[in-house]
Amino acid sequence: MNNDRMDEIVQDVQNIPPLPAVVLKVIQLTRGNDTSANDLNKVISLDPALTANLLKLCNSAYYGLPRVISSVTQAVMYLGFHTVRNLVLTSTMSDFFNKETSGYGYAKGGLWQHSVAVALASEKLSKKISPGLRDVAFTAGLLHDIGKVVMSRFVGNAHVDIEKLMREENIPFMQAEQEVLGFNHALLGAKVADQWSFPQELINAIGFHHYPDKAKGRPMLPIIVHLADAAALQMGFGLGSDGLCYPLSEFALKTANMGPHEMAELYQDLEEDMKNASDFLEINPG
Ligand SMILES: [Fe+2]
Ligand SMILES: [Fe+2]
């Protein structure tokens, strides 16, 4: 691994797109046990555009609430803390992701669609196999490929070389990426997440979402994101170069107790969830 090159990228802060300030606060908020609608309200109300967007989403036909929601506290009361928190994260991160990431063969919006799909599948999967991780699973899924956003500024048209190598040598994307660039998007993403002071389990999930068996500490969150990633690619959500050859980890399937039947169920659920979320979240792949 070309660590020097990767460190150079991470250190050059100007090259890393700024993370919306509210994102880190919201991620940290949900970590404690004593969080309340009030805390969330305090963070969100500092950003009027975000508050307006959040209320618009809460009042959309998607939720069909019996009354008009006019404050964050009310939104939490009617939709629950998790839902409102996830809505805040999705509405703040969409700009960050909705850039051209052509270096990875994604059309504009493709990486965002992929990220939302992996977030939804991660949350669904965690509910089934590890409910304690439900809260962080959505966030981990949403941010798992964040290294690509950073890296796409450096890789130019590298996907052409990456895909060529994949075809010629019949190797998975991550391996070709490593050979062409000298490092991979997962580890770069983990480094950037560390720089942003993300919680350790989130850094771990970002860094090992392709190889959960190599994760340090508890592997369940990287496993969930890995399987959700596979489900999103299988269903064609955000199919960039990454999706052309995706080795599904036997270790992940075994540890999560997921057989072909359970995976098929995950695919189906995801298709349904994405159908419902697409209009609502205005996900427009290019
Ligand atoms: Fe990835
Ligand atoms: Fe991915």
Side-chain angles (χ1 to χ4, degrees):
M1 152 122 9
N2 188 341
N3 273 321
D4 291 349
R5 177 79 176 114
M6 192 156 77
D7 285 340
E8 221 174 86
I9 293 175
V10 176
Q11 239 101 74
D12 193 351
V13 190
Q14 280 189 325
N15 284 322
I16 300 177
L19 188 74
V22 77
V23 170
L24 191 57
K25 287 193 193 134
V26 170
I27 286 175
Q28 281 163 347
L29 249 193
T30 55
R31 304 282 307 141
N33 297 323
D34 54 350
T35 49
S36 66
N38 232 355
D39 294 326
L40 193 60
N41 195 8
K42 262 190 241 160
V43 173
I44 300 168
S45 54
L46 296 172
D47 187 334
L50 172 61
T51 308
N53 194 32
L54 180 72
L55 295 179
K56 192 184 103 192
L57 290 172
C58 292
N59 286 310
S60 69
Y62 180 78
Y63 290 115
L65 294 179
R67 57 164 295 174
V68 175
I69 301 293
S70 56
S71 73
V72 177
T73 314
Q74 273 177 9
V76 173
M77 205 151 68
Y78 280 87
L79 296 174
F81 184 87
H82 294 284
T83 303
V84 175
R85 195 280 321 259
N86 290 348
L87 280 177
V88 172
L89 283 179
T90 19
S91 56
T92 40
M93 288 309 288
S94 67
D95 277 355
F96 190 89
F97 274 95
N98 265 327
K99 296 189 172 84
E100 186 97 27
T101 36
S102 52
Y104 279 101
Y106 282 111
K108 198 170 183 299
L111 186 57
W112 177 236
Q113 187 204 41
H114 173 70
S115 304
V116 172
V118 177
L120 291 171
S122 296
E123 191 182 32
K124 179 112 326 151
L125 193 53
S126 70
K127 269 194 233 170
K128 278 191 191 160
I129 64 172
S130 188
L133 291 173
R134 185 192 153 195
D135 197 32
V136 74
F138 183 92
T139 315
L142 195 69
L143 303 178
H144 77 287
D145 273 339
I146 205 153
K148 286 187 179 175
V149 180
V150 176
M151 213 152 66
S152 63
R153 297 191 167 204
F154 301 91
V155 295
N157 277 327
H159 74 99
V160 176
D161 295 335
I162 295 173
E163 280 167 25
K164 193 166 159 253
L165 196 64
M166 286 168 76
R167 267 195 312 273
E168 281 172 6
E169 297 189 14
N170 202 20
I171 52 173
F173 174 82
M174 281 276 283
Q175 202 181 326
E177 183 188 41
Q178 184 83 39
E179 281 181 32
V180 170
L181 301 170
F183 49 85
N184 66 65
H185 71 277
L187 290 179
L188 178 70
K191 282 212 166 213
V192 174
D194 186 35
Q195 182 108 329
W196 283 331
S197 309
F198 277 15
Q200 197 53 48
E201 60 182 341
L202 211 47
I203 298 174
N204 206 27
I206 293 171
F208 297 99
H209 69 269
H210 286 277
Y211 299 113
D213 53 318
K214 299 206 166 58
K216 301 164 198 131
R218 284 181 298 177
M220 204 41 116
L221 192 57
I223 286 174
I224 287 171
V225 176
H226 173 75
L227 297 174
D229 197 17
L233 294 169
Q234 173 72 26
M235 300 314 286
F237 295 121
L239 197 67
S241 330
D242 206 352
L244 298 176
C245 173
Y246 193 95
L248 198 49
S249 156
E250 275 303 320
F251 164 81
L253 290 168
K254 230 175 143 189
T255 314
N257 216 358
M258 296 285 286
H261 174 74
E262 287 78 12
M263 283 306 281
E265 217 171 65
L266 183 66
Y267 300 157
Q268 248 171 30
D269 284 350
L270 179 61
E271 193 172 34
E272 186 70 31
D273 286 350
M274 281 299 277
K275 208 165 36 182
N276 293 332
S278 289
D279 288 346
F280 170 63
L281 292 172
E282 295 168 13
I283 302 166
N284 298 312

